[in-house]
Short mmCIF file of all heavy atoms in Angstrom, two decimals:
data_model
loop_
_atom_site.label_atom_id
_atom_site.label_comp_id
_atom_site.label_asym_id
_atom_site.label_seq_id
_atom_site.Cartn_x
_atom_site.Cartn_y
_atom_site.Cartn_z
N MET A 23 36.67 21.92 -59.00
CA MET A 23 35.49 22.68 -58.68
C MET A 23 35.39 23.94 -59.53
O MET A 23 34.35 24.57 -59.53
CB MET A 23 35.47 23.04 -57.20
CG MET A 23 35.04 21.89 -56.33
SD MET A 23 34.56 22.36 -54.66
CE MET A 23 36.15 22.68 -53.94
N ASP A 24 36.45 24.28 -60.21
CA ASP A 24 36.44 25.48 -61.04
C ASP A 24 35.40 25.41 -62.15
O ASP A 24 34.96 26.44 -62.64
CB ASP A 24 37.82 25.72 -61.65
CG ASP A 24 38.84 26.12 -60.60
OD1 ASP A 24 38.45 26.75 -59.60
OD2 ASP A 24 40.03 25.81 -60.79
N ASP A 25 35.02 24.21 -62.55
CA ASP A 25 34.06 24.06 -63.64
C ASP A 25 32.61 24.06 -63.17
O ASP A 25 31.70 23.97 -63.99
CB ASP A 25 34.35 22.79 -64.44
CG ASP A 25 34.33 21.54 -63.57
OD1 ASP A 25 34.49 21.65 -62.35
OD2 ASP A 25 34.17 20.45 -64.14
N LEU A 26 32.37 24.22 -61.88
CA LEU A 26 31.01 24.24 -61.33
C LEU A 26 30.44 25.65 -61.39
O LEU A 26 31.16 26.63 -61.18
CB LEU A 26 31.00 23.76 -59.88
CG LEU A 26 31.51 22.34 -59.63
CD1 LEU A 26 31.50 22.05 -58.13
CD2 LEU A 26 30.70 21.32 -60.38
N ASP A 27 29.13 25.76 -61.67
CA ASP A 27 28.51 27.09 -61.63
C ASP A 27 28.14 27.42 -60.18
O ASP A 27 28.33 26.62 -59.27
CB ASP A 27 27.31 27.18 -62.57
CG ASP A 27 26.14 26.29 -62.18
OD1 ASP A 27 26.01 25.93 -60.99
OD2 ASP A 27 25.34 25.95 -63.07
N LYS A 28 27.60 28.61 -59.97
CA LYS A 28 27.34 29.08 -58.60
C LYS A 28 26.40 28.16 -57.84
O LYS A 28 26.65 27.83 -56.68
CB LYS A 28 26.76 30.50 -58.65
CG LYS A 28 26.55 31.09 -57.29
CD LYS A 28 26.12 32.54 -57.35
CE LYS A 28 25.96 33.08 -55.95
NZ LYS A 28 25.76 34.52 -55.95
N SER A 29 25.32 27.72 -58.45
CA SER A 29 24.37 26.84 -57.75
C SER A 29 25.00 25.49 -57.42
O SER A 29 24.73 24.92 -56.36
CB SER A 29 23.08 26.66 -58.55
OG SER A 29 23.34 25.99 -59.76
N GLU A 30 25.86 24.98 -58.29
CA GLU A 30 26.54 23.71 -58.03
C GLU A 30 27.54 23.85 -56.88
O GLU A 30 27.68 22.95 -56.06
CB GLU A 30 27.23 23.21 -59.29
CG GLU A 30 26.27 22.78 -60.38
CD GLU A 30 26.94 22.52 -61.71
OE1 GLU A 30 27.93 23.20 -62.04
OE2 GLU A 30 26.46 21.61 -62.42
N LEU A 31 28.23 24.99 -56.82
CA LEU A 31 29.15 25.24 -55.70
C LEU A 31 28.40 25.31 -54.37
O LEU A 31 28.82 24.73 -53.38
CB LEU A 31 29.91 26.55 -55.91
CG LEU A 31 31.10 26.51 -56.84
CD1 LEU A 31 31.63 27.92 -57.09
CD2 LEU A 31 32.20 25.62 -56.29
N LEU A 32 27.27 26.02 -54.37
CA LEU A 32 26.47 26.12 -53.14
C LEU A 32 26.02 24.74 -52.69
O LEU A 32 26.10 24.41 -51.50
CB LEU A 32 25.26 27.03 -53.37
CG LEU A 32 25.54 28.51 -53.50
CD1 LEU A 32 24.27 29.26 -53.90
CD2 LEU A 32 26.11 29.08 -52.22
N GLU A 33 25.57 23.91 -53.62
CA GLU A 33 25.11 22.57 -53.29
C GLU A 33 26.25 21.71 -52.76
O GLU A 33 26.10 20.99 -51.77
CB GLU A 33 24.51 21.91 -54.53
CG GLU A 33 23.91 20.56 -54.27
CD GLU A 33 23.26 19.98 -55.50
OE1 GLU A 33 22.68 20.74 -56.29
OE2 GLU A 33 23.34 18.75 -55.67
N ARG A 34 27.41 21.81 -53.38
CA ARG A 34 28.56 21.00 -52.95
C ARG A 34 28.98 21.35 -51.52
O ARG A 34 29.21 20.48 -50.70
CB ARG A 34 29.71 21.21 -53.92
CG ARG A 34 30.95 20.49 -53.47
CD ARG A 34 31.74 20.06 -54.61
NE ARG A 34 32.90 19.33 -54.14
CZ ARG A 34 33.52 18.44 -54.83
NH1 ARG A 34 33.09 18.15 -56.02
NH2 ARG A 34 34.56 17.82 -54.36
N PHE A 35 29.11 22.65 -51.22
CA PHE A 35 29.52 23.06 -49.89
C PHE A 35 28.40 22.88 -48.86
O PHE A 35 28.68 22.68 -47.68
CB PHE A 35 30.04 24.49 -49.90
CG PHE A 35 31.46 24.59 -50.39
CD1 PHE A 35 31.72 24.84 -51.72
CD2 PHE A 35 32.53 24.41 -49.54
CE1 PHE A 35 33.02 24.91 -52.20
CE2 PHE A 35 33.83 24.48 -49.99
CZ PHE A 35 34.08 24.73 -51.32
N ALA A 36 27.15 22.94 -49.27
CA ALA A 36 26.02 22.73 -48.36
C ALA A 36 26.12 21.36 -47.71
O ALA A 36 25.82 21.21 -46.52
CB ALA A 36 24.71 22.88 -49.10
N GLY A 37 26.56 20.36 -48.46
CA GLY A 37 26.71 19.01 -47.91
C GLY A 37 27.75 18.93 -46.81
O GLY A 37 27.65 18.10 -45.92
N LYS A 38 28.73 19.82 -46.85
CA LYS A 38 29.77 19.82 -45.82
C LYS A 38 29.33 20.49 -44.53
O LYS A 38 29.87 20.22 -43.47
CB LYS A 38 31.02 20.54 -46.35
CG LYS A 38 31.66 19.82 -47.52
CD LYS A 38 32.85 20.61 -48.05
CE LYS A 38 33.43 19.95 -49.26
NZ LYS A 38 34.62 19.19 -49.01
N TYR A 39 28.35 21.40 -44.63
CA TYR A 39 27.92 22.17 -43.45
C TYR A 39 26.55 21.77 -42.93
O TYR A 39 26.15 22.22 -41.86
CB TYR A 39 27.91 23.67 -43.79
CG TYR A 39 29.30 24.22 -43.98
CD1 TYR A 39 29.92 24.23 -45.22
CD2 TYR A 39 30.01 24.72 -42.89
CE1 TYR A 39 31.20 24.72 -45.38
CE2 TYR A 39 31.28 25.21 -43.04
CZ TYR A 39 31.88 25.21 -44.29
OH TYR A 39 33.14 25.69 -44.45
N ILE A 40 25.82 20.92 -43.63
CA ILE A 40 24.46 20.57 -43.25
C ILE A 40 24.39 19.89 -41.88
O ILE A 40 23.44 20.09 -41.13
CB ILE A 40 23.78 19.70 -44.34
CG1 ILE A 40 22.28 19.61 -44.09
CG2 ILE A 40 24.38 18.30 -44.39
CD1 ILE A 40 21.54 20.83 -44.47
N HIS A 41 25.42 19.12 -41.53
CA HIS A 41 25.41 18.40 -40.25
C HIS A 41 25.40 19.35 -39.05
O HIS A 41 24.99 18.97 -37.97
CB HIS A 41 26.58 17.44 -40.15
CG HIS A 41 27.91 18.11 -40.14
ND1 HIS A 41 28.55 18.53 -41.30
CD2 HIS A 41 28.73 18.48 -39.12
CE1 HIS A 41 29.69 19.11 -40.98
NE2 HIS A 41 29.83 19.09 -39.67
N ASP A 42 25.84 20.58 -39.24
CA ASP A 42 25.82 21.57 -38.15
C ASP A 42 24.57 22.44 -38.19
O ASP A 42 24.47 23.40 -37.45
CB ASP A 42 27.06 22.47 -38.25
CG ASP A 42 28.34 21.74 -37.94
OD1 ASP A 42 28.29 20.77 -37.15
OD2 ASP A 42 29.39 22.12 -38.48
N GLY A 43 23.64 22.11 -39.08
CA GLY A 43 22.42 22.90 -39.21
C GLY A 43 22.66 24.23 -39.89
O GLY A 43 21.92 25.18 -39.65
N CYS A 44 23.69 24.31 -40.73
CA CYS A 44 24.03 25.56 -41.40
C CYS A 44 23.50 25.60 -42.83
O CYS A 44 23.42 24.57 -43.49
CB CYS A 44 25.54 25.74 -41.44
SG CYS A 44 26.30 25.85 -39.82
N GLN A 45 23.17 26.79 -43.28
CA GLN A 45 22.73 27.00 -44.65
C GLN A 45 23.80 27.82 -45.37
O GLN A 45 24.08 28.96 -44.99
CB GLN A 45 21.40 27.74 -44.68
CG GLN A 45 20.94 28.08 -46.07
CD GLN A 45 19.72 28.99 -46.08
OE1 GLN A 45 19.26 29.43 -45.04
NE2 GLN A 45 19.23 29.27 -47.25
N VAL A 46 24.41 27.26 -46.41
CA VAL A 46 25.43 27.96 -47.18
C VAL A 46 24.75 28.99 -48.08
O VAL A 46 23.81 28.66 -48.80
CB VAL A 46 26.28 26.97 -48.02
CG1 VAL A 46 27.26 27.72 -48.91
CG2 VAL A 46 27.00 26.00 -47.11
N ILE A 47 25.20 30.25 -48.01
CA ILE A 47 24.57 31.30 -48.79
C ILE A 47 25.51 31.92 -49.83
O ILE A 47 25.06 32.59 -50.75
CB ILE A 47 23.98 32.41 -47.89
CG1 ILE A 47 25.06 33.01 -47.00
CG2 ILE A 47 22.83 31.86 -47.08
CD1 ILE A 47 24.60 34.21 -46.20
N GLU A 48 26.81 31.69 -49.71
CA GLU A 48 27.78 32.26 -50.66
C GLU A 48 29.06 31.44 -50.65
O GLU A 48 29.52 31.01 -49.59
CB GLU A 48 28.10 33.71 -50.30
CG GLU A 48 29.07 34.40 -51.23
CD GLU A 48 28.52 34.61 -52.63
OE1 GLU A 48 27.32 34.92 -52.77
OE2 GLU A 48 29.29 34.46 -53.59
N VAL A 49 29.62 31.23 -51.84
CA VAL A 49 30.90 30.54 -51.99
C VAL A 49 31.68 31.27 -53.07
O VAL A 49 31.14 31.56 -54.14
CB VAL A 49 30.71 29.06 -52.42
CG1 VAL A 49 32.06 28.39 -52.64
CG2 VAL A 49 29.91 28.28 -51.40
N HIS A 50 32.95 31.59 -52.78
CA HIS A 50 33.79 32.15 -53.83
C HIS A 50 35.26 31.80 -53.58
O HIS A 50 35.66 31.48 -52.47
CB HIS A 50 33.58 33.65 -54.01
CG HIS A 50 33.91 34.48 -52.81
ND1 HIS A 50 33.02 34.70 -51.78
CD2 HIS A 50 35.03 35.16 -52.47
CE1 HIS A 50 33.58 35.47 -50.87
NE2 HIS A 50 34.80 35.76 -51.27
N LYS A 51 36.03 31.86 -54.63
CA LYS A 51 37.44 31.48 -54.59
C LYS A 51 38.30 32.73 -54.40
O LYS A 51 38.02 33.77 -55.00
CB LYS A 51 37.80 30.78 -55.90
CG LYS A 51 39.19 30.21 -55.92
CD LYS A 51 39.41 29.26 -57.08
CE LYS A 51 39.49 29.92 -58.40
NZ LYS A 51 39.96 29.04 -59.46
N VAL A 52 39.33 32.60 -53.57
CA VAL A 52 40.27 33.70 -53.33
C VAL A 52 41.69 33.16 -53.44
O VAL A 52 41.94 31.97 -53.27
CB VAL A 52 40.06 34.33 -51.93
CG1 VAL A 52 38.71 34.98 -51.83
CG2 VAL A 52 40.25 33.32 -50.82
N ALA A 53 42.62 34.05 -53.72
CA ALA A 53 44.03 33.68 -53.78
C ALA A 53 44.52 33.33 -52.37
O ALA A 53 44.09 33.92 -51.38
CB ALA A 53 44.85 34.83 -54.33
N ALA A 54 45.41 32.32 -52.29
CA ALA A 54 45.93 31.90 -50.99
C ALA A 54 47.31 31.30 -51.16
O ALA A 54 47.67 30.84 -52.24
CB ALA A 54 44.99 30.87 -50.35
N ASP A 55 48.09 31.32 -50.09
CA ASP A 55 49.41 30.71 -50.08
C ASP A 55 49.27 29.22 -49.77
O ASP A 55 49.56 28.77 -48.66
CB ASP A 55 50.32 31.38 -49.03
CG ASP A 55 50.61 32.82 -49.37
OD1 ASP A 55 50.65 33.16 -50.57
OD2 ASP A 55 50.82 33.61 -48.44
N SER A 56 48.80 28.48 -50.76
CA SER A 56 48.63 27.04 -50.60
C SER A 56 49.15 26.35 -51.85
O SER A 56 49.52 27.01 -52.82
CB SER A 56 47.15 26.69 -50.38
OG SER A 56 46.40 26.99 -51.54
N LEU A 57 49.18 25.05 -51.84
CA LEU A 57 49.66 24.31 -53.01
C LEU A 57 48.84 24.60 -54.25
O LEU A 57 49.38 24.68 -55.36
CB LEU A 57 49.65 22.81 -52.72
CG LEU A 57 50.65 22.32 -51.68
CD1 LEU A 57 50.46 20.82 -51.44
CD2 LEU A 57 52.07 22.60 -52.12
N SER A 58 47.55 24.80 -54.10
CA SER A 58 46.68 25.06 -55.25
C SER A 58 46.71 26.53 -55.66
O SER A 58 46.31 26.86 -56.78
CB SER A 58 45.25 24.66 -54.94
OG SER A 58 44.73 25.48 -53.91
N GLY A 59 47.15 27.42 -54.76
CA GLY A 59 47.18 28.85 -55.06
C GLY A 59 45.87 29.55 -54.78
O GLY A 59 45.73 30.74 -55.05
N HIS A 60 44.88 28.82 -54.27
CA HIS A 60 43.60 29.44 -53.95
C HIS A 60 42.94 28.73 -52.77
O HIS A 60 43.36 27.66 -52.36
CB HIS A 60 42.66 29.43 -55.16
CG HIS A 60 42.21 28.06 -55.56
ND1 HIS A 60 42.90 27.28 -56.44
CD2 HIS A 60 41.13 27.33 -55.19
CE1 HIS A 60 42.27 26.13 -56.60
NE2 HIS A 60 41.19 26.13 -55.84
N ALA A 61 41.90 29.38 -52.25
CA ALA A 61 41.09 28.81 -51.17
C ALA A 61 39.63 29.18 -51.45
O ALA A 61 39.35 30.08 -52.25
CB ALA A 61 41.52 29.39 -49.82
N TRP A 62 38.74 28.47 -50.79
CA TRP A 62 37.31 28.75 -50.95
C TRP A 62 36.80 29.44 -49.70
O TRP A 62 37.02 28.98 -48.58
CB TRP A 62 36.54 27.46 -51.18
CG TRP A 62 36.89 26.83 -52.49
CD1 TRP A 62 37.80 25.85 -52.70
CD2 TRP A 62 36.38 27.19 -53.77
NE1 TRP A 62 37.88 25.56 -54.04
CE2 TRP A 62 37.02 26.37 -54.72
CE3 TRP A 62 35.46 28.12 -54.22
CZ2 TRP A 62 36.75 26.45 -56.08
CZ3 TRP A 62 35.19 28.20 -55.58
CH2 TRP A 62 35.83 27.37 -56.49
N VAL A 63 36.12 30.57 -49.88
CA VAL A 63 35.49 31.29 -48.78
C VAL A 63 34.01 30.92 -48.80
O VAL A 63 33.35 31.04 -49.82
CB VAL A 63 35.66 32.82 -48.95
CG1 VAL A 63 34.89 33.56 -47.88
CG2 VAL A 63 37.12 33.19 -48.91
N VAL A 64 33.53 30.44 -47.67
CA VAL A 64 32.15 29.98 -47.56
C VAL A 64 31.44 30.83 -46.51
O VAL A 64 31.88 30.91 -45.37
CB VAL A 64 32.09 28.49 -47.17
CG1 VAL A 64 30.65 28.02 -47.06
CG2 VAL A 64 32.87 27.63 -48.16
N GLN A 65 30.35 31.47 -46.90
CA GLN A 65 29.53 32.23 -45.96
C GLN A 65 28.26 31.43 -45.71
O GLN A 65 27.64 30.91 -46.65
CB GLN A 65 29.18 33.60 -46.54
CG GLN A 65 28.44 34.49 -45.60
CD GLN A 65 28.18 35.86 -46.21
OE1 GLN A 65 28.28 36.07 -47.39
NE2 GLN A 65 27.85 36.80 -45.36
N PHE A 66 27.87 31.31 -44.44
CA PHE A 66 26.71 30.50 -44.11
C PHE A 66 25.96 31.07 -42.93
O PHE A 66 26.47 31.90 -42.19
CB PHE A 66 27.13 29.05 -43.82
CG PHE A 66 28.15 28.90 -42.73
CD1 PHE A 66 27.77 28.78 -41.41
CD2 PHE A 66 29.50 28.89 -43.03
CE1 PHE A 66 28.72 28.65 -40.40
CE2 PHE A 66 30.46 28.75 -42.04
CZ PHE A 66 30.06 28.64 -40.72
N LEU A 67 24.73 30.62 -42.79
CA LEU A 67 23.89 30.97 -41.65
C LEU A 67 23.88 29.77 -40.72
O LEU A 67 23.71 28.64 -41.17
CB LEU A 67 22.46 31.28 -42.10
CG LEU A 67 22.32 32.44 -43.07
CD1 LEU A 67 20.86 32.57 -43.52
CD2 LEU A 67 22.80 33.74 -42.47
N GLU A 68 24.03 30.02 -39.44
CA GLU A 68 24.08 28.94 -38.45
C GLU A 68 22.72 28.67 -37.86
O GLU A 68 21.98 29.60 -37.54
CB GLU A 68 25.02 29.31 -37.30
CG GLU A 68 26.47 29.38 -37.71
CD GLU A 68 27.32 29.70 -36.51
OE1 GLU A 68 27.38 30.87 -36.12
OE2 GLU A 68 27.92 28.75 -35.97
N GLY A 69 22.40 27.40 -37.67
CA GLY A 69 21.22 26.97 -36.94
C GLY A 69 19.92 27.52 -37.47
O GLY A 69 19.83 28.04 -38.58
N ASP A 70 18.89 27.43 -36.64
CA ASP A 70 17.55 27.84 -37.04
C ASP A 70 17.27 29.31 -36.79
O ASP A 70 16.27 29.84 -37.25
CB ASP A 70 16.49 27.03 -36.26
CG ASP A 70 16.55 25.56 -36.64
OD1 ASP A 70 16.97 25.24 -37.76
OD2 ASP A 70 16.17 24.73 -35.78
N ASN A 71 18.16 30.00 -36.07
CA ASN A 71 17.87 31.38 -35.72
C ASN A 71 18.44 32.39 -36.71
O ASN A 71 18.27 33.58 -36.52
CB ASN A 71 18.35 31.69 -34.29
CG ASN A 71 19.83 31.47 -34.13
OD1 ASN A 71 20.55 31.21 -35.10
ND2 ASN A 71 20.31 31.57 -32.93
N GLY A 72 19.11 31.94 -37.77
CA GLY A 72 19.58 32.84 -38.81
C GLY A 72 20.76 33.69 -38.47
O GLY A 72 21.02 34.68 -39.13
N GLN A 73 21.50 33.38 -37.41
CA GLN A 73 22.69 34.17 -37.06
C GLN A 73 23.82 33.84 -38.03
O GLN A 73 23.94 32.73 -38.49
CB GLN A 73 23.16 33.85 -35.66
CG GLN A 73 22.24 34.32 -34.60
CD GLN A 73 22.77 34.00 -33.21
OE1 GLN A 73 23.57 33.10 -33.03
NE2 GLN A 73 22.33 34.77 -32.24
N ARG A 74 24.65 34.83 -38.32
CA ARG A 74 25.83 34.62 -39.16
C ARG A 74 27.03 34.35 -38.32
O ARG A 74 27.15 34.78 -37.23
CB ARG A 74 26.10 35.83 -40.03
CG ARG A 74 25.12 35.94 -41.13
CD ARG A 74 25.53 37.04 -42.05
NE ARG A 74 24.49 37.12 -43.05
CZ ARG A 74 24.66 37.61 -44.23
NH1 ARG A 74 25.81 38.07 -44.60
NH2 ARG A 74 23.70 37.67 -45.08
#
């Protein structure tokens, strides 16, 4: 996923959250204690009422 631009990242993660009625608004990579050394932080709006 490192080779994806911002709009491609948003689209990719949107597919994972769409079933809950969520709209992905931000995605970025952060350092983490995992095998890959990083994690993805996803910010989204829930449902139709726009709550975060």
Side-chain angles (χ1 to χ4, degrees):
M23 282 196 285
D24 291 329
D25 57 339
L26 300 177
D27 66 24
K28 184 174 181 171
S29 64
E30 292 170 327
L31 279 172
L32 288 173
E33 184 177 325
R34 176 148 182 154
F35 280 93
K38 295 177 184 259
Y39 290 90
I40 193 76
H41 65 278
D42 291 331
C44 298
Q45 176 188 5
V46 175
I47 57 173
E48 181 67 38
V49 177
H50 61 276
K51 186 167 72 169
V52 296
D55 294 330
S56 66
L57 292 176
S58 65
H60 67 272
W62 293 96
V63 174
V64 180
Q65 185 177 17
F66 56 88
L67 300 175
E68 292 182 280
D70 294 333
N71 59 7
Q73 291 182 336
R74 287 187 183 203

